[in-house]
Each structure stands twice: as C-alpha cells, then as structure tokens.
Amino acid sequence: MKVKEKYKDYFKGKTYNITTFGCQMNEHDSERISYILEDLGYTKTEDRSSADFILFNTCLVRENAELKLYGQVSSLKKLKKEHPEKIIAVSGCMMQTSTAREVIIKDHKEVDIIFGTKNINSLVDLIFRYLETNERVIDISTDDVKDDYVNYNTLNDFQAFVNIMTGCDNFCSYCIVPESRGREESRRPSAILAEVEHLVEEGYKEITLLGQNVNSYGNKADFDMTFPELLEKISQIEGLKRLRFTTSHPKDLSDELIEVIKNNDNICNYFHLPLQSGSSKVLKDMNRKYDQEKYIERAKKLREEIPGIAISTDIIVGYPTETEEDFKETLKVCREIEFDSAFTFKYSPRPKTRAAKLTPIDDEIVQDRFDRLLDTIYPIFNEKNKEYIGKTVEVLLESESKNNPDILTGRTDTFKLVHVKASKKLIGEIVKVKITDNTSFTISGELVE
Ligand code: 5AD
Ligand code: SF4
C-alpha cells in the first residue's frame, strides 16, 4: 500500500491507449484492462503517440499478427527514447507463447511491461513494480483468481461481456488457442450469476457470455452445472433484456440447449456455429469431431425448433489437405444451411499446431477458392436480410453510424446490423424499427411510434 500512496498523484492527467488485436475474448480483456487503468487515474486517448501508457493486447489467431505487432511496436522505439517516462506494454495470447515473447524480450527493448492473458488482475502490481525499479517487468506465470472478477465493463453502460470459462481442450489441428490460452477452466456458477445480477442492477440490458467452447462449460469442474442449465438460470435474472453467448462447438450442441433458447424469450435467437469446412474428410483432419452430416443435422434442428433464428459461422478456406472437391463440399453446406453471416479466413499456419507441419496449398488456389466462397455466400446473406423487409423488429441502438451521425446503428436479437435515423438520445434503448431496405450485411428502416 505504501507504494500506492507514493504514486497517488502520479496518474493524475495521464492517458492510456490500447490497441486490441483479435477476438471478442481479447476485446473483453482490453475492457478489463481499461477499467483497471481508469481506476488508477488514467484517462483514455485515441492518440497513441501522446499516451503515457501504451498497450498492445495481442492475438495469435489471425494472419500476420506477429509481423503487424512487431512493426507497430518498433515504430515506438524513437518515441520511447525521447520520452523514457512513457510506459509501453504488450499483453495477450502472443505473450503466452515463448517464440513471440522472446522476440519482444530480445528485439524490443522499448517494451517495459509484458503480461499474459491470465495476469490481468496483477496489472496494478506490475505497473508499480515497473515504476519502482524502472526495469522491465514480465508476468506470464501466475493465474487470475477466477472468481475475483468485478464489473470491468467500459464499452458502454448497456452491453457487457461476461467470461464464463477460459482456455480450450479441443486441439483443432490449425488452432493456437489451446496453446495460448491454456486448458479449459470454468468459472463457478455463483460468481457468474453474481456478476450478471450486479450488471443488470446497474442497468445493463444485454449480456454476452464468453468462452472458447461454451457448450462444454462445467464438464471438468467440481461443481454440477451444464451450459444449458447455467444459461437458463442467467436468463431468469429479473430485468435482463437480452442474453447472448459465444462460441459453440457443433460437436457439443445439445438438444437441451436448443430447448433452453426456445423456451426463454430473452435468450437471443442467434447462434454462431463454426463450420470451418464442409468436407467430412477435412473436418477429420482438423480434429473437429463432427462430420458434414452431423453439422447439417444440428443446424437444421436449430432452424426447425426456433423459427427465425439466425445462424452465423466461421469458415477456413485452403486447409492444407483441402482438395477442390472438399472445397465444393463447403460451398454445398453454405447453400444448404443458408447462413445469415460468416467470418471467413484463409488458412494460415500457426506455430506449434499440428497443421503447421503440413505443406500449404498455393496462394493463388486459396485466393481463388476464397473469392468463390464470398461469391456464393454474399447473395445468400442478401436473401436472408431481404426477408426482413416489411417486418417490424426490436433493435438495441448502440452508436452513431461512422459515416453519418444522423443515422444510428443497432442490432436485432438475431444480431442483424440495423441502420435507422434516430436521435442520439435513444442510444442504449430498445426501439421498434420497420425494415424497408437491406444489403448483404445490413438492414435499414424507420422508427415506429
Ligand atoms: N488459420 C485460419 N483461420 C483460423 N482460425 C483459427 N485458426 C486459424 C488458422 N490457423 C479461425 C477459425 C476460428 C476463428 C476464430 O478463427 O475459423 O473459428
Ligand atoms: Fe481453437 Fe478448436 Fe478450441 Fe475453437 S474449439 S478455440 S478452433 S481449438
């Protein structure tokens, strides 16, 4: 505590800037970090070079992430030389792997603090340790106290993410997550419920539960609670308007979960169900533990049981063992399921994964398949969105549109992005919108009432 008192005024007027790479889990980690920094006295700035605390929260999943990071960190070398009092930090998945961490340690002396995905709760101590010693601080060893979360949301005051589990045990052959985020661990239900109750009391309308594979929640835990049970319990919290969750693994999508979504109005009619590939052979090579038939069966069951549900997916094109025939199977599944939206990726080898040992497919072939995939799915998205024309839907208004401040953007419970002309005062409210127009990626219309 003494150290804290010494630096009581140090943070006054100081600013921080965070650059986040990667997934929602990382976005949420950045929010938790923001909360901790603001609690210390920092205020946020969008201008990186003027910030007193500069953080890169890294990701390993996306292509070229390492090179991008090294480039951005290098560009701060001069700044750090001229302003040695600035603190530069790197966190996140990439720091969990020794190769990327070594590069930062050896080649980037401008970085002062390095920490992993499990050390966010220690950040304040790391900052004080750095201020006391003026020497680089590295912490990737200790573990977060999982139940010791407070409400770390700074995104806005009506939507919040809540982690229900960390890590992953699935070892998909292409994926770095089990390496970077470690083995699967579920948070205790009582801690999760307390956090959501608190958020709802504070006026939060929409909660998104986060985990790499939420469907296996509780499988290895010493408490007795499945994901559908947890979801139902959370949905019953008085006053919660919208409940979302991500991500689900198709192999663990149970009928029980479908029933819970169907029977509880505030659980959104939206399901993100990563396909990765439509070919049973490639799925086997990826170690996904389901085949084309099982995926189609699960997705169709969702559509049958919950009319109007939107389904989105993740697709990887150009996995090393993917042939033209295999790729056509992916197109076939896309046509059959009629996804509402998709995140599409060109396969990229990640260090220490099983697939990294395989010979990659030629770039031109991958690019050609990628283009054909988009040519197939964009018209489907367009058709799915067109079905909304003439309908009146409930939309949670989130922010001003980037290009036109008179237009607000929001989401339907089916996660459709909506554009509507409305007053800024309505941000954070759920309003009714009559849909009049659409593209492959948005629907738009007019306020009703
Ligand atoms: N190459 C391409 N895409 C990948 N993803 C994960 N690892 C890789 C990789 N090595 C994609 C998957 C996953 C999403 C978050 O990122 O589709 O579902
Ligand atoms: Fe990666 Fe597979 Fe785990 Fe998803 S389920 S995080 S793709 S290993």
Side-chain angles (χ1 to χ4, degrees), residues 277-295:
S277 168
S279 151
S280 295
K281 184 201 88 193
V282 174
L283 287 170
K284 191 155 194 289
D285 294 345
M286 288 176 161
N287 192 30
R288 290 289 288 175
K289 301 193 177 89
Y290 55 87
D291 57 11
Q292 181 194 84
E293 200 184 344
K294 161 105 176 174
Y295 185 95

Side-chain angles (χ1 to χ4, degrees), residues 106-118:
K106 281 207 190 85
D107 302 342
H108 295 276
K109 303 283 183 233
E110 65 279 13
V111 176
D112 305 306
I113 300 179
I114 296 171
F115 61 102
T117 52
K118 295 188 170 187

Side-chain angles (χ1 to χ4, degrees), residues 168-172 174-178 212-213 249 276 288:
C168 182
D169 286 353
N170 285 312
F171 292 95
C172 300
Y174 51 82
C175 183
I176 192 85
V177 166
Q212 301 294 349
N213 178 13
H249 195 304
Q276 313 299 6
R288 290 289 288 175

Side-chain angles (χ1 to χ4, degrees), residues 245-262:
F245 57 88
T246 199
T247 296
S248 292
H249 195 304
K251 79 178 165 63
D252 301 315
L253 166 51
S254 64
D255 286 346
E256 196 190 351
L257 178 60
I258 298 175
E259 277 299 295
V260 169
I261 302 170
K262 186 173 156 181

Side-chain angles (χ1 to χ4, degrees), residues 202-332:
E202 296 269 297
Y204 283 82
K205 295 192 167 110
E206 181 181 281
I207 301 290
T208 304
L209 308 177
L210 291 181
Q212 301 294 349
N213 178 13
V214 292
N215 293 344
S216 60
Y217 175 81
N219 278 1
K220 292 194 319 190
D222 56 5
F223 54 76
D224 194 18
M225 170 96 58
T226 63
F227 181 60
E229 287 164 356
L230 177 76
L231 190 68
E232 183 148 53
K233 265 208 152 64
I234 296 176
S235 81
Q236 283 159 357
I237 292 174
E238 189 77 27
L240 176 58
K241 297 272 189 290
R242 284 182 173 189
L243 180 55
R244 300 187 184 281
F245 57 88
T246 199
T247 296
S248 292
H249 195 304
K251 79 178 165 63
D252 301 315
L253 166 51
S254 64
D255 286 346
E256 196 190 351
L257 178 60
I258 298 175
E259 277 299 295
V260 169
I261 302 170
K262 186 173 156 181
N263 295 336
N264 293 280
D265 282 349
N266 60 356
I267 304 179
C268 291
N269 285 351
Y270 168 69
F271 210 105
H272 184 64
L273 192 64
L275 169 67
Q276 313 299 6
S277 168
S279 151
S280 295
K281 184 201 88 193
V282 174
L283 287 170
K284 191 155 194 289
D285 294 345
M286 288 176 161
N287 192 30
R288 290 289 288 175
K289 301 193 177 89
Y290 55 87
D291 57 11
Q292 181 194 84
E293 200 184 344
K294 161 105 176 174
Y295 185 95
I296 292 177
E297 186 274 323
R298 290 286 80 189
K300 286 200 167 160
K301 178 102 187 199
L302 277 170
R303 290 233 193 262
E304 272 160 31
E305 293 291 324
I306 309 166
I309 195 168
I311 303 179
S312 64
T313 198
D314 289 346
I315 296 170
I316 300 177
V317 174
Y319 185 78
T321 62
E322 183 186 83
T323 63
E324 173 63 21
E325 291 315 305
D326 293 319
F327 173 67
K328 285 195 178 129
E329 293 296 302
T330 299
L331 296 182
K332 184 190 125 183

Side-chain angles (χ1 to χ4, degrees), residues 184-196:
E184 190 177 290
E185 277 181 79
S186 299
R187 269 179 88 193
R188 269 194 300 119
S190 56
I192 299 169
L193 283 161
E195 184 173 339
V196 179

Side-chain angles (χ1 to χ4, degrees), residues 367-380:
Q367 185 62 48
D368 174 63
R369 287 183 194 162
F370 192 75
D371 293 343
R372 281 155 60 210
L373 174 67
L374 301 189
D375 286 347
T376 303
I377 58 182
Y378 285 178
I380 297 174

